[in-house]
Amino acid sequence: MNNESRPYTLIAELTYRCPLRCPYCSNPLDFAEHGNEIDTDTWLRVFQEAEELGVVQLNLTGGEPLLRNDLERLIEEARKIDLYTNLITSGIPLTFERLSRLRALGLDSVQVSVQSARPSVSDRIAGVPSFNRKLDVMRWVTSLDLPLTMNVVLHRENISEINEFIALAERVSADRLELANTQYLGWALKNRSALLPTREQIERARTVAAEAKARLRGSMEVLFVTPDYYTDYPKSCMEGWGRRFIVVNPEGLALPCHLAHTIPGLRFEHVTQRRLGDIWHHSAGFNRFRGEDWLPDPCRTCERRVLDFGGCRCQAFHVLGDAGMADPACSLAPGHDFIESARAQAGRTTGVPVLFEYRTGRGRSAR
Amino acid sequence: MTLTTIRPRFSPKVRLRFDRRTGRHLLLYPETGLQLNHTATVIARLCTGEWTVDDMVEQLTQAYGDVSPDEIRREMCEFLDVLSHRGLLQGMA
């Protein structure tokens, strides 16, 4: 295996079930139609096969991974094979006792998502009362000496709270603060006009984040991810297709990114039917956009191709209808006018009340 | 980092791990990591809180007879700065 395509991180989406129903959820729109979740033994085999491929980081995510009652076992076994285990969670439902147990079994870090720094707004965005419990959970994490990442998905309605988010992260002694702007795919693309901030909002937030980053350097890492709708060049999606990450979804489908299977015509395989190593190296889906041979114009001759690998394939498909085209977020790409018009629309609708279409589906708790 | 009497020690979130695919070591921390070269690994192994930067320079000077202590000190401080800025060392923000 050459170093160009070595996975360092396995993103294990343990379930699509979630007590929250955020309108920018990155799960597929049809998540409720998906079938059974793979069982404990299958996950343990996947961890082992991933480790053999070179994976050292394990992200346990979902949906809400806490809803899996075998989480303890998964963390315990991951630790035995020396994986660095990150729990990516909403914090709901959790008790201090369970978190202590997970830590004792080998959990390495916890990322908690916060929808807003204001309780009532947070609860409205999440669709369920959850803010106060999240505060408790973050305090439990740091009281157990676990590194805490506070994650915020920024959008039009909460981006003006940037100072409050930073203050909150400091108050709960977060180790990292991720200020990630919404990626406009899945539920977020459906809700884009309600979510996309204006350029002024982005600039203001970026300035505040940069100041906090400098001030807190060494004690808290502050990451600000500009939405690609406002960058001149596309993001380096997953650091390149099939290059650094493997996603295994709740049904056991192995993917280069969590939405890759929403692109029609690509063939992906299940970990129940083939070894992960074989899938990674040989499956048609993983090889489709690997390397440079597939690159379209203008990426093919662009010197930035080694930085962004042509951008996001899902965005090319969901915006332009063709996953093989350059990411339209790129100002050099055909189809960029679609992004420009979305930006213009964001500028025109400032102040218009936000209406979300909540993530809904079978299996969702009604709490 | 100019104080040479401090005793660098990794924050508890950091795990030093051998990477059998490359024969090198990795420093793992939440959701990411650093790949270390040989010298960085030697330094990382000394970040236990037991040794001062001066001690560490001395140990490396003995191990690498052909490199001057000044050169070693400069490189070590650069590396420790990287670790410190990433919040990987305890109490050295």
Side-chain angles (χ1 to χ4, degrees), chain B residues 2 13 20 31 37 44 48 66 71 84 88 92:
Chain B
T2 50
K13 70 183 172 183
R20 65 172 185 272
E31 297 176 50
N37 64 19
T48 59
D66 51 341
E71 176 82 347
S84 169
L88 303 182
M92 304 226 329

Side-chain angles (χ1 to χ4, degrees), chain A residues 131-307:
Chain A
F131 182 80
N132 288 327
R133 179 43 75 88
K134 283 167 183 285
L135 273 189
D136 290 342
V137 169
M138 290 195 286
R139 292 192 179 112
W140 297 341
V141 171
T142 48
S143 76
L144 288 167
D145 266 335
L146 277 165
L148 168 69
T149 296
M150 184 176 124
N151 168 277
V152 182
V153 175
L154 293 175
H155 48 81
R156 169 185 289 245
E157 199 184 1
N158 67 5
I159 195 165
S160 61
E161 297 176 32
I162 189 97
N163 278 305
E164 294 162 70
F165 284 125
I166 293 163
L168 178 60
E170 287 186 79
R171 204 165 83 221
V172 297
S173 307
D175 183 64
R176 293 166 76 221
L177 170 61
E178 265 185 23
L179 298 162
N181 272 281
T182 310
Q183 298 293 338
Y184 293 96
L185 294 165
W187 291 88
L189 183 58
K190 208 172 166 60
N191 282 310
R192 194 194 56 209
S193 60
L195 293 168
L196 186 66
T198 65
R199 186 180 290 280
E200 291 68 32
Q201 286 180 307
I202 295 286
E203 291 304 333
R204 208 175 309 130
R206 184 160 46 195
T207 306
V208 172
E211 184 277 324
K213 186 187 171 86
R215 180 171 58 82
L216 296 166
R217 193 163 77 162
S219 61
M220 183 168 88
E221 187 186 0
V222 179
L223 281 116
F224 181 83
V225 185
T226 306
D228 53 9
Y229 275 53
Y230 286 101
T231 54
D232 289 335
Y233 301 109
K235 61 180 178 281
S236 157
C237 194
M238 304 307 283
E239 297 175 35
W241 184 273
R243 189 166 164 272
R244 292 288 179 254
F245 291 87
I246 306 179
V247 178
V248 174
N249 84 0
E251 302 166 283
L253 199 58
L255 300 164
C257 88
H258 65 284
L259 289 172
H261 55 313
T262 64
I263 300 173
L266 295 184
R267 205 164 51 79
F268 293 109
E269 294 168 81
H270 282 82
V271 294
T272 47
Q273 284 157 10
R274 201 175 179 193
R275 290 178 60 85
L276 193 62
D278 287 339
I279 297 176
W280 172 261
H281 290 296
H282 305 302
S283 83
F286 269 91
N287 282 314
R288 175 66 182 84
F289 298 115
R290 237 183 207 146
E292 295 194 350
D293 290 347
W294 69 275
L295 282 175
D297 288 323
C299 308
R300 185 190 303 277
T301 53
C302 178
E303 59 187 30
R304 296 187 59 88
R305 69 187 184 279
V306 297
L307 300 176

Side-chain angles (χ1 to χ4, degrees), chain A residues 23-24 121 124-125 155-159 191-197 201 349-358:
Chain A
Y24 45 74
V121 180
R124 184 162 49 78
I125 294 171
H155 48 81
R156 169 185 289 245
E157 199 184 1
N158 67 5
I159 195 165
N191 282 310
R192 194 194 56 209
S193 60
L195 293 168
L196 186 66
Q201 286 180 307
T349 52
T350 312
V352 173
V354 179
L355 286 175
F356 292 141
E357 181 169 348
Y358 280 111

